[in-house]
Amino acid sequence: MATSCKSSFTYKDKLPTWSVLLHAGPPDVSVPDTVAKVMKYTHLAQPIAQEKVHEATEKNKAVLISTHLERAELINEQLVTCGLCVSLVQD
């Protein structure tokens, strides 16, 4: 006898998401190093990480990832520790 499992989750229960923004950083941090750091902490693929770093360089900011608050804070702290300019904004 199979039972049906229905979730009681509704859209109203969804936690807000937060975006980690990469800002155009100091010139002493090289683009390849920035890409490597973004890949390490966000787990983005290399082409996507390169695109995000290029966008941040050209437009002064780029959304790296949107996730729940705790993960966004962790990624933010890790990237700041590496010397990158990042910030958090609630979506």
Side-chain angles (χ1 to χ4, degrees), residues 16-28:
T17 57
W18 291 75
S19 291
V20 180
L21 300 179
L22 175 66
H23 300 277
D28 62 333

Side-chain angles (χ1 to χ4, degrees), residues 29-86:
V29 180
S30 71
V31 171
D33 287 343
T34 302
V35 170
K37 292 170 185 176
V38 168
M39 289 172 56
K40 179 178 180 179
Y41 295 115
T42 63
H43 303 287
L44 293 174
Q46 185 176 5
I48 297 171
Q50 288 174 327
E51 180 182 316
K52 299 292 185 177
V53 171
H54 178 71
E55 180 181 342
T57 304
E58 294 295 315
K59 298 181 180 177
N60 293 324
K61 67 179 176 181
V63 175
L64 290 178
I65 192 168
S66 292
T67 185
H68 58 86
L69 178 60
E70 291 80 8
R71 183 166 183 230
E73 288 175 330
L74 174 63
I75 292 168
N76 183 69
E77 289 175 20
Q78 291 169 323
L79 293 174
V80 166
T81 301
C82 292
L84 300 182
C85 298
V86 293

